[in-house]
Amino acid sequence: KDTGKKEDMIMKLISKIDQIAAWILLASFIIYMLSGIDTVRRILIPQISSLVHLKYLFIPAQIAFTIHTSYAIHLAIKRWKIWNSATKTIIGVYIILNLALITFYISNF
């Protein structure tokens, strides 16, 4: 019984992290849209908007995207009752590829 409560607490924490990631992702996409529009239309300060759009927003958006989509894929696979070592490996590879993308981005800027 002790393990069940511990697993419930861990799942609640993971769910809360997913919710936070979803909000960060939403905010990132809104800022992406606004900074992209400003870069093209030159409404505010296009140089700052371009910098935010191209350099500073990618990492938090990509991390939030990776967390949110990984958790959603995990839940869908469990709901479809195909949660096994192969699907765990697929999710692991998906996360590693996203982390590699973030690392590539950081190393080139």
Side-chain angles (χ1 to χ4, degrees):
K1 289 185 178 182
D2 224 8
T3 309
K5 288 183 182 181
K6 188 174 182 179
E7 286 177 8
D8 286 346
M9 288 178 57
I10 291 170
M11 287 309 293
K12 283 182 183 179
L13 176 65
I14 292 171
S15 178
K16 185 56 79 175
I17 291 169
D18 175 60
Q19 289 173 357
I20 293 167
W23 282 107
I24 291 170
L25 191 56
L26 175 65
S28 295
F29 276 116
I30 290 171
I31 295 169
Y32 258 130
M33 287 187 296
L34 295 175
S35 64
I37 290 168
D38 188 45
T39 300
V40 174
R41 299 270 174 122
R42 303 182 181 279
I43 299 167
L44 298 172
I45 305 170
Q47 294 83 5
I48 293 175
S49 293
S50 179
L51 194 61
V52 167
H53 189 83
L54 297 173
K55 189 170 184 181
Y56 296 117
L57 210 51
F58 176 79
I59 293 172
Q62 187 64 32
I63 290 170
F65 177 81
T66 301
I67 292 169
H68 186 60
T69 56
S70 298
Y71 185 67
I73 292 167
H74 161 261
L75 291 178
I77 288 172
K78 278 193 164 181
R79 191 172 47 250
W80 297 334
K81 295 179 176 36
I82 55 171
W83 185 245
N84 55 43
S85 59
T87 55
K88 289 177 187 177
T89 302
I90 290 169
I91 290 176
V93 169
Y94 173 78
I95 292 169
I96 289 169
L97 288 173
N98 276 285
L99 293 174
L101 177 65
I102 293 167
T103 304
F104 176 77
Y105 182 85
I106 291 170
S107 67
N108 287 312
F109 276 96

